[in-house]
Coordinates of all heavy atoms in Angstrom, one line a residue:
M127 N 20.3 -10.6 -19.5 CA 21.0 -9.3 -19.6 C 20.1 -8.1 -20.0 O 20.5 -7.0 -20.0 CB 22.0 -9.4 -20.7 CG 23.1 -10.5 -20.5 SD 24.1 -10.1 -19.0 CE 25.1 -8.7 -19.7
D128 N 18.8 -8.5 -20.1 CA 17.7 -7.4 -20.3 C 17.4 -6.8 -19.0 O 16.8 -7.3 -18.1 CB 16.5 -8.1 -21.0 CG 15.4 -7.0 -21.3 OD1 15.7 -5.8 -21.1 OD2 14.4 -7.5 -21.8
I129 N 17.8 -5.5 -18.9 CA 17.5 -4.7 -17.6 C 16.4 -3.8 -17.8 O 16.1 -2.8 -17.0 CB 18.8 -3.9 -17.2 CG1 19.2 -3.0 -18.2 CG2 19.9 -4.9 -16.8 CD1 20.3 -2.0 -17.7
S130 N 15.6 -4.1 -18.8 CA 14.3 -3.2 -18.9 C 13.3 -3.6 -17.9 O 13.5 -4.9 -17.4 CB 13.7 -3.4 -20.3 OG 13.3 -4.8 -20.6
F131 N 12.4 -2.8 -17.5 CA 11.5 -3.1 -16.4 C 10.1 -3.0 -16.8 O 9.8 -2.4 -17.8 CB 11.8 -2.2 -15.2 CG 11.7 -0.8 -15.4 CD1 10.5 -0.1 -15.4 CD2 12.8 -0.1 -15.7 CE1 10.4 1.2 -15.6 CE2 12.8 1.3 -16.0 CZ 11.5 2.0 -15.9
D132 N 9.2 -3.6 -16.1 CA 7.7 -3.5 -16.3 C 7.2 -2.2 -15.7 O 7.3 -2.0 -14.5 CB 7.1 -4.7 -15.6 CG 5.6 -4.9 -15.9 OD1 5.0 -3.9 -16.1 OD2 5.1 -6.0 -16.0
E133 N 6.7 -1.4 -16.7 CA 6.3 0.0 -16.1 C 5.1 -0.1 -15.3 O 5.0 0.7 -14.4 CB 5.9 0.8 -17.4 CG 7.2 1.2 -18.2 CD 7.0 2.2 -19.4 OE1 5.8 2.7 -19.4 OE2 7.9 2.5 -20.2
S134 N 4.2 -1.1 -15.5 CA 3.1 -1.2 -14.6 C 3.5 -1.6 -13.1 O 2.9 -1.1 -12.2 CB 2.1 -2.2 -15.2 OG 2.7 -3.6 -15.2
K135 N 4.5 -2.5 -13.1 CA 5.0 -2.9 -11.7 C 5.7 -1.7 -11.0 O 5.6 -1.5 -9.9 CB 6.0 -4.0 -11.8 CG 5.3 -5.4 -12.2 CD 6.3 -6.5 -12.2 CE 5.6 -7.8 -12.4 NZ 6.5 -8.9 -12.4
M136 N 6.5 -0.9 -11.9 CA 7.1 0.4 -11.3 C 6.1 1.3 -10.8 O 6.2 1.9 -9.7 CB 8.0 1.0 -12.4 CG 8.7 2.3 -11.9 SD 9.9 1.9 -10.6 CE 11.3 1.4 -11.6
A137 N 5.0 1.5 -11.6 CA 4.0 2.4 -11.1 C 3.3 1.9 -9.8 O 3.0 2.7 -9.0 CB 2.9 2.5 -12.2
E138 N 3.1 0.6 -9.8 CA 2.5 0.0 -8.6 C 3.3 0.2 -7.4 O 2.9 0.5 -6.4 CB 2.2 -1.4 -8.9 CG 1.5 -2.2 -7.8 CD 1.2 -3.6 -8.0 OE1 1.2 -4.1 -9.2 OE2 0.9 -4.3 -7.1
K139 N 4.6 0.0 -7.6 CA 5.6 0.1 -6.5 C 5.6 1.6 -6.0 O 5.6 1.8 -4.8 CB 6.9 -0.4 -6.9 CG 8.0 -0.3 -5.8 CD 9.2 -0.9 -6.4 CE 10.3 -0.9 -5.1 NZ 11.6 -1.5 -5.6
K140 N 5.6 2.6 -6.9 CA 5.6 4.0 -6.6 C 4.4 4.3 -5.7 O 4.4 5.0 -4.8 CB 5.7 4.9 -7.8 CG 7.3 4.8 -8.4 CD 7.2 5.8 -9.6 CE 8.6 5.8 -10.2 NZ 8.7 6.8 -11.3
S141 N 3.3 3.8 -6.2 CA 1.9 3.9 -5.6 C 1.9 3.4 -4.2 O 1.5 4.0 -3.2 CB 0.8 3.3 -6.3 OG -0.4 3.5 -5.7
D142 N 2.5 2.1 -4.0 CA 2.6 1.6 -2.7 C 3.5 2.4 -1.7 O 3.2 2.5 -0.6 CB 3.2 0.1 -2.8 CG 2.1 -0.8 -3.4 OD1 1.0 -0.5 -3.4 OD2 2.6 -1.9 -3.8
S143 N 4.6 2.9 -2.4 CA 5.5 3.6 -1.5 C 4.8 5.0 -1.1 O 4.9 5.5 0.1 CB 6.8 4.1 -2.4 OG 7.6 4.9 -1.6
S144 N 4.1 5.6 -2.0 CA 3.3 6.9 -1.7 C 2.4 6.6 -0.6 O 2.1 7.4 0.3 CB 2.7 7.5 -3.0 OG 2.0 8.6 -2.6
R145 N 1.6 5.4 -0.7 CA 0.7 5.1 0.2 C 1.2 4.8 1.6 O 0.6 5.3 2.6 CB -0.1 3.9 -0.2 CG -1.3 3.5 0.7 CD -1.9 2.1 0.2 NE -3.0 1.8 1.0 CZ -4.3 2.2 0.8 NH1 -4.6 2.9 -0.2 NH2 -5.3 1.9 1.6
S146 N 2.4 4.3 1.6 CA 2.9 4.0 3.0 C 3.4 5.2 3.7 O 3.4 5.3 4.9 CB 4.2 3.1 2.8 OG 5.2 3.8 2.1
R147 N 3.7 6.3 3.0 CA 4.1 7.6 3.5 C 2.9 8.4 3.9 O 3.1 9.4 4.7 CB 5.0 8.3 2.6 CG 6.3 7.7 2.4 CD 7.3 8.6 1.7 NE 6.9 9.1 0.4 CZ 7.1 8.5 -0.6 NH1 7.9 7.5 -0.7 NH2 6.6 9.0 -1.8
A148 N 1.7 8.3 3.3 CA 0.6 9.1 3.4 C 0.0 8.9 4.9 O 0.1 7.9 5.6 CB -0.5 8.6 2.4
K149 N -0.6 10.0 5.3 CA -1.3 10.0 6.7 C -2.5 9.1 6.6 O -3.3 9.2 5.8 CB -1.6 11.5 7.1 CG -2.3 11.6 8.5 CD -2.5 13.1 8.8 CE -3.2 13.1 10.2 NZ -3.5 14.5 10.5
A150 N -2.6 8.3 7.7 CA -3.7 7.3 7.8 C -5.0 8.0 8.3 O -5.0 8.9 9.1 CB -3.4 6.3 8.8
Y151 N -6.1 7.7 7.6 CA -7.4 8.0 8.0 C -7.8 7.0 9.2 O -8.4 7.5 10.1 CB -8.4 7.9 6.9 CG -9.8 8.0 7.2 CD1 -10.3 9.3 7.5 CD2 -10.6 7.0 7.5 CE1 -11.7 9.5 7.8 CE2 -12.0 7.1 7.8 CZ -12.5 8.4 8.0 OH -13.9 8.6 8.4
S152 N -7.6 5.7 8.9 CA -7.8 4.7 10.0 C -7.1 3.4 9.6 O -6.3 3.4 8.6 CB -9.4 4.3 10.0 OG -9.7 3.6 8.8
Y153 N -7.2 2.5 10.5 CA -6.6 1.1 10.2 C -7.7 0.1 10.4 O -8.6 0.1 11.2 CB -5.5 0.8 11.2 CG -4.3 1.7 11.1 CD1 -4.3 2.9 11.9 CD2 -3.2 1.5 10.4 CE1 -3.2 3.8 11.7 CE2 -2.1 2.4 10.2 CZ -2.1 3.5 10.9 OH -1.1 4.4 10.8
V154 N -7.7 -0.8 9.4 CA -8.7 -1.8 9.4 C -8.1 -3.2 9.7 O -7.1 -3.5 9.1 CB -9.4 -2.0 8.0 CG1 -10.5 -3.0 8.0 CG2 -10.0 -0.6 7.6
S155 N -8.6 -4.0 10.6 CA -8.2 -5.3 10.9 C -9.2 -6.3 10.9 O -10.4 -6.0 10.9 CB -7.7 -5.3 12.4 OG -8.7 -5.2 13.3
S156 N -8.8 -7.6 10.5 CA -9.7 -8.7 10.5 C -9.0 -9.9 11.2 O -7.9 -10.3 11.0 CB -9.9 -9.1 9.0 OG -10.7 -10.3 9.0
V157 N -9.6 -10.3 12.2 CA -9.2 -11.4 13.1 C -10.3 -12.4 13.2 O -11.5 -12.1 13.7 CB -8.8 -10.9 14.5 CG1 -8.2 -12.1 15.3 CG2 -7.6 -9.9 14.3
G158 N -10.1 -13.6 12.8 CA -11.1 -14.7 12.8 C -12.3 -14.3 12.1 O -13.5 -14.8 12.5
G159 N -12.2 -13.5 11.0 CA -13.4 -13.1 10.2 C -14.1 -11.9 10.6 O -15.1 -11.4 10.0
V160 N -13.7 -11.4 11.9 CA -14.4 -10.2 12.5 C -13.6 -8.9 12.1 O -12.3 -8.9 12.4 CB -14.4 -10.4 14.0 CG1 -15.0 -9.1 14.6 CG2 -15.3 -11.6 14.3
I161 N -14.2 -8.0 11.5 CA -13.5 -6.8 11.0 C -13.8 -5.6 11.9 O -14.9 -5.4 12.4 CB -14.0 -6.4 9.6 CG1 -13.7 -7.6 8.6 CG2 -13.4 -5.2 9.1 CD1 -14.3 -7.4 7.3
E162 N -12.7 -4.9 12.3 CA -12.8 -3.7 13.1 C -12.0 -2.6 12.5 O -11.0 -2.8 11.7 CB -12.3 -4.0 14.5 CG -13.1 -5.0 15.4 CD -12.7 -5.2 16.7 OE1 -11.7 -4.4 17.2 OE2 -13.2 -6.1 17.4
T163 N -12.3 -1.4 12.8 CA -11.5 -0.3 12.5 C -11.0 0.4 13.7 O -11.5 0.3 14.8 CB -12.4 0.8 11.7 OG1 -13.4 1.4 12.5 CG2 -13.0 0.2 10.4
H164 N -9.8 1.1 13.5 CA -9.0 1.6 14.6 C -8.6 3.0 14.2 O -8.2 3.3 13.1 CB -7.8 0.8 15.0 CG -8.1 -0.7 15.0 ND1 -8.6 -1.3 16.1 CD2 -8.1 -1.7 14.1 CE1 -8.8 -2.6 15.9 NE2 -8.5 -2.9 14.7
H165 N -8.5 3.9 15.2 CA -8.1 5.3 14.9 C -6.6 5.4 14.9 O -6.0 6.2 14.2 CB -8.6 6.2 16.0 CG -10.1 6.5 16.0 ND1 -10.8 7.0 15.0 CD2 -11.1 6.1 16.8 CE1 -12.0 7.0 15.2 NE2 -12.3 6.5 16.4
T166 N -5.8 4.5 15.6 CA -4.4 4.5 15.7 C -3.8 3.2 15.3 O -4.5 2.1 15.4 CB -3.9 4.9 17.1 OG1 -4.2 3.9 18.0 CG2 -4.5 6.2 17.5

C-alpha cells in the first residue's frame, strides 16, 4: 500500500524522456563489434 516512489528513478525517467525528445547530433550503432556513427 506504500505509493511513495524512488526520487532517483523518477529523475532518471524524466532525464530519459527529455533525451528522447531532444534533437539528435548523431546516432551510434554497433553490429558485430564494429561501431559506426550516422547522421540520420
Side-chain angles (χ1 to χ4, degrees):
M127 300 295 288
D128 182 0
I129 59 169
S130 60
F131 57 85
D132 186 323
E133 293 187 5
S134 63
K135 288 186 177 181
M136 178 65 82
E138 182 179 342
K139 185 174 180 181
K140 287 182 178 179
S141 176
D142 289 343
S143 177
S144 177
R145 184 183 182 90
S146 68
R147 295 192 301 268
K149 183 178 179 180
Y151 171 80
S152 69
Y153 295 88
V154 182
S155 67
S156 175
V157 178
V160 178
I161 300 172
E162 293 184 8
T163 60
H164 313 275
H165 292 297
T166 67

